[in-house]
Structures are given as structure tokens and as C-alpha cells.
Amino acid sequence: MLMQNNYDYIIIGAGCAGLSLAYRLLNKSHTVCIIESSDDINKRNKLWSFWDTYETPFNHLIKKKWKNLLISNENESIKINCEDYNYQSISSLDFNNFILDKINTSSNIDILFSLEVKKIVKKNSDVVVITDKDEYFCSHVFDSRPNNKKTFMKQQFFGAYIKSKEDIFDDNLAAFMEFTTIKNKFHFNYILPFSKNMALIESTFFSCNEEKKLLNKEYINEYMREKYGDKAYIIEKTEFGSIPMDIGINSLSEQFITKIGSFSGATRASTGYTFINIQRQVDHLIKIIPNIQKNKINTHFHKFILRKMDSIFLRIISRNPDYMKNALMDLFRTSSHKAQIRFLSDMPSIFDIMKIIFYLPKLKFLLYALGIREKNDK
Ligand SMILES: Cc1cc2nc3c(=O)[nH]c(=O)nc-3n(C[C@H](O)[C@H](O)[C@H](O)COP(=O)(O)OP(=O)(O)OC[C@H]3O[C@@H](n4cnc5c(N)ncnc54)[C@H](O)[C@@H]3O)c2cc1C
């Protein structure tokens, strides 16, 4: 513990991005302070799932891996082969505790809780981070605070951790998107079976409106009744999430501030996946950190082509969700699963992108790309 008020770097926020960056800075020559407004970052546990497309230092924290995923609607189930890129999950509780332990025994990083950053100002060669209690000085700030701007769409979900008395789940198969029969809404169930009697069941919307219905325990109980009849189970805990889906979120800021995390644009607009993008972002920052002020960081995390495609996906989802559900079923019915996974994980090659475009409805996408709406779209 350094306990001073002058550091080389200040990281605002001890969420996934702040802690991921701090982990890379452990026991380096720079002094670092993390300032976090909450008194307990483990109050809201999250489960981060992602495909194994990028090497991270957190492999030992992986709770479960799946080699097959399912996408389905009322008529059809399609298996997505993830042999090459396993789908896997890390609990934020394990992640936070692992990194907090390292920070507590580190020689160069302090972490301060219950301090809310109010303002960041430049004073001569110093950057001053003004909190609700004290002021802290540094040469550069990494800022992971969310902003309150309205986003185009949000991924809204309610999840329940189910423990059943008998073995009822197939723990080799996770349901990536189980589209429900609800018309004119992009609604699906997401099911991660950790064992034969433990699973996370989530009800999820991609929506421009605040969704209230179906994001509750009653929906999960109804789902369990329909699927498993009178099999006994308990709900051990629940989680609620809201993830921004907007291609406009970017990392524009002052020269002495680098935005990181979800609200720097690391969240993929069309899917909400963020964890791996944050790992890529902080790995890049670590390489350029000695010259951070001189290096020009891309304002947009995602490539132009991905932003353009995501903007089309989001607009079709908002205006004709049923059409998009069918288009996704058509896409995954093709066998190019590796290309699809790399596309969803933000690491597609140009050939992967060409394959995706080839299997999507070209006329509809072209019309949306040109800003022309079709008759039956809202
Ligand atoms: C329930 C849930 C499940 C998710 N599942 C997945 C998934 O399966 N796969 C995936 O890839 N992504 C997933 N995500 C998305 C993504 O991984 C997370 O949102 C990610 O945690 C974002 O990290 P972050 O550090 O950018 O933001 P945050 O985790 O929000 O961290 C920001 C931190 O800043 C602090 N803060 C805010 N204001 C101030 C202030 N003024 N002063 C000081 N501190 C401040 C906050 O308290 C917070 O701790 C999920 C998100 C949620 C909510």
C-alpha cells in the first residue's frame, strides 16, 4: 500500500476494465491508484461468457466450457460447433477476488473504495482527480465510468441460477439463443447448464424500450414448468443486467484521459459481448503506456465494417425483430460456425465477413445500408 495522493496513473472504476488494466500493471515501475465509488464491488455478481478466441491471463478462473451451443425457435434447433473456440464463463466474483488479492499484496497499486470521482482537471503538468472527499494527482487517467447518455438499444435480461433436485440439464449443451414465440419482440432465453442439476436461465430482450414484462422470477418459473413439468428446484440467486447496444459509443476524450471499458466502445453493439474486448483493449494499452499521451488511440474500438453491419442489425431488430430472428436462424444453419464465432468475437478475417454477408439476406441489408425502409418494417 502506498497511500499517497500523487500517482503515475489513476484508474477510475474497479469494474472489469479497471481491474483488468490494474492486473497488467501489477508490480510494474509505475504507481497506480484505483478509485471506486462503490463500497463493495461484489454486491452485484455477473457471469461473463465468451468464446475462447483470445488468450487471457484468467484461464484458471473459467467455471465451465461448452463445445456446443444451440440456437433455436419453435420449429428448429441448430447446433453451433464450438470445438475450436469453446464457449466459456467466468464469474465476476472469482475475477474480482483474484485481482483484489493481488492488489492487496502489490507494491505499486492502491485501491480506494467509496470515493466518487466528480471532476478531472488539468493543472500545469498534473492531472487532478477531484472526488467527493479528496483530490488526487497523476500524469494520466484511465476512466471506466459509464455515461448517462441514452443508447439506441439495450440488452435487458433477468437471470436465475437454478438448482434442481434431480439431474435434468444436459450440461454439454448451452442455449445461446432460444427464440420465444413472442411476436414483434427480439426476445430469447439464454441457458447455461453448469452441471446436470445447476443452470443459469436468462430471459433476454434486445430492445429500444424499457422492457418490464418477462424479466422476473414468474417467467423463469413458468419456463421451468413448461420444460421440466413438476421437477423440484430452487432459485439460488438472480441477476439483472442492462448492456448498452449503440455503435455511437466511442472513446473520445481529453489527451490526458483514456477511456476504457464498456463506455469507451468496448461493448459490441449488436451482441453486448464485452469481456474479451476489454482484455484486448488493456493488452494494447499496456504496450503503449509509456507514451500514452503521444499515442493516438482509435476513437472507435470496432472496425468501420463491423460498426456498419451492427448498425444495420440493430435497425432491423428495432423495426422488424421477427425478420431478424429468422435471418439469424438462416445464418447459423450454414456450417461456417468458425467464421460466425470469430465475427461475434470481433475478430473476423475479411473472408469471415464475406461469408457472413453471403448468408445474410442481401436485399434487405442493402436497403438498410442505403437508409431505405421496407413496407412491412415499422
Ligand atoms: C449481468 C451482466 C452480465 C454480462 N454478461 C456478459 C457476458 O456474458 N459476456 C460479455 O462479454 N459481457 C457481458 N456483460 C457486459 C460486460 O462484460 C460488462 O458490462 C463489463 O462488466 C463492463 O465493465 P466496465 O469496467 O467497462 O464497467 P463496470 O463494470 O460498470 O465498471 C465501472 C466501475 O466504475 C465505477 N464508477 C462509476 N462511476 C464512478 C465514479 N464517479 N467514481 C468512481 N467510480 C465510479 C462503478 O461503480 C463500477 O465499478 C455483462 C454485463 C452484465 C451487467
Side-chain angles (χ1 to χ4, degrees), residues 12-18 35-38 41 44-50 87 115-118 144-146 157 190 202 239-244 260-263 267 272-276 278:
I12 306 178
C16 180
I35 300 180
E36 165 60 47
S37 56
S38 156
I41 53 169
R44 283 190 63 198
N45 192 13
K46 305 171 191 169
L47 189 77
W48 294 312
S49 304
F50 50 91
Y87 196 64
L115 269 189
E116 191 176 340
V117 172
K118 296 286 187 193
S144 71
R145 283 174 299 171
F157 52 92
Y190 172 72
E202 271 181 13
E239 70 174 25
F240 178 78
S242 175
I243 305 178
I260 55 170
S262 189
F263 281 83
T267 295
Y273 283 105
T274 316
F275 180 82
I276 283 294
I278 287 177

Side-chain angles (χ1 to χ4, degrees), residues 186 313 316-317 320-329 365:
F186 200 91
F313 285 130
I316 302 182
I317 291 173
N320 196 341
D322 296 336
Y323 184 92
M324 195 65 208
K325 289 188 245 178
N326 289 330
L328 284 178
M329 290 296 288
F365 273 67

Side-chain angles (χ1 to χ4, degrees), residues 184 316 319-321 323 364 367-368 373-378:
N184 219 11
I316 302 182
R319 289 175 184 159
N320 196 341
Y323 184 92
K364 184 85 151 185
L367 290 175
Y368 268 82
R373 207 182 296 179
E374 282 194 312
K375 266 206 309 281
N376 51 348
D377 291 358
K378 271 190 274 174

Side-chain angles (χ1 to χ4, degrees), residues 54-189:
Y54 184 79
E55 189 69 29
T56 82
F58 308 116
N59 276 348
H60 62 292
L61 299 176
I62 289 167
K63 192 178 156 80
K64 173 84 182 167
K65 291 182 178 203
W66 295 271
K67 289 193 166 76
N68 284 296
L69 288 179
L70 213 60
I71 177 166
S72 63
N73 60 19
E74 70 267 41
N75 304 317
E76 187 185 10
S77 291
I78 300 164
K79 239 185 214 178
I80 305 172
N81 182 338
C82 307
E83 291 272 344
D84 292 285
Y85 303 117
N86 288 182
Y87 196 64
Q88 48 198 21
S89 302
I90 288 183
S91 143
S92 66
L93 185 75
D94 296 338
F95 176 89
N96 292 347
N97 290 343
F98 170 68
I99 298 179
L100 289 178
D101 276 355
K102 298 273 177 202
I103 290 173
N104 287 337
T105 54
S106 78
S107 55
N108 68 323
I109 304 185
D110 281 343
I111 182 159
L112 308 174
F113 293 100
S114 308
L115 269 189
E116 191 176 340
V117 172
K118 296 286 187 193
K119 219 169 159 189
I120 309 168
V121 291
K122 180 98 176 145
K123 232 187 230 172
N124 306 321
S125 61
D126 280 333
V127 183
V128 189
V129 176
I130 303 167
T131 74
D132 50 353
K133 297 194 184 92
D134 299 301
E135 292 186 356
Y136 296 85
F137 299 82
C138 64
S139 60
H140 197 84
V141 169
F142 296 92
D143 187 2
S144 71
R145 283 174 299 171
N147 65 43
N148 297 322
K149 283 190 200 142
K150 188 170 165 20
T151 53
F152 177 76
M153 188 177 275
K154 278 192 272 185
Q155 181 180 146
Q156 300 162 61
F157 52 92
F158 177 87
Y161 288 82
I162 304 279
K163 187 169 184 184
S164 62
K165 207 164 174 195
E166 293 169 44
D167 291 349
I168 55 173
F169 300 112
D170 174 0
D171 62 339
N172 292 315
L173 194 59
F176 170 56
M177 281 182 165
E178 196 180 75
F179 290 120
T180 58
T181 49
I182 299 157
K183 294 281 170 239
N184 219 11
K185 289 270 181 198
F186 200 91
H187 178 253
F188 61 91
N189 303 316

Side-chain angles (χ1 to χ4, degrees), residues 253-264:
S253 72
E254 306 277 358
Q255 191 78 23
F256 51 92
I257 303 172
T258 301
K259 287 216 239 169
I260 55 170
S262 189
F263 281 83
S264 70

Side-chain angles (χ1 to χ4, degrees), residues 241-253:
S242 175
I243 305 178
M245 302 178 84
D246 194 319
I247 57 151
I249 299 174
N250 63 52
S251 63
L252 254 187
S253 72

Side-chain angles (χ1 to χ4, degrees), residues 223-234:
Y223 176 88
M224 288 298 292
R225 231 184 334 270
E226 259 184 34
K227 199 141 185 184
Y228 302 106
D230 56 2
K231 301 278 186 222
Y233 67 90
I234 52 163

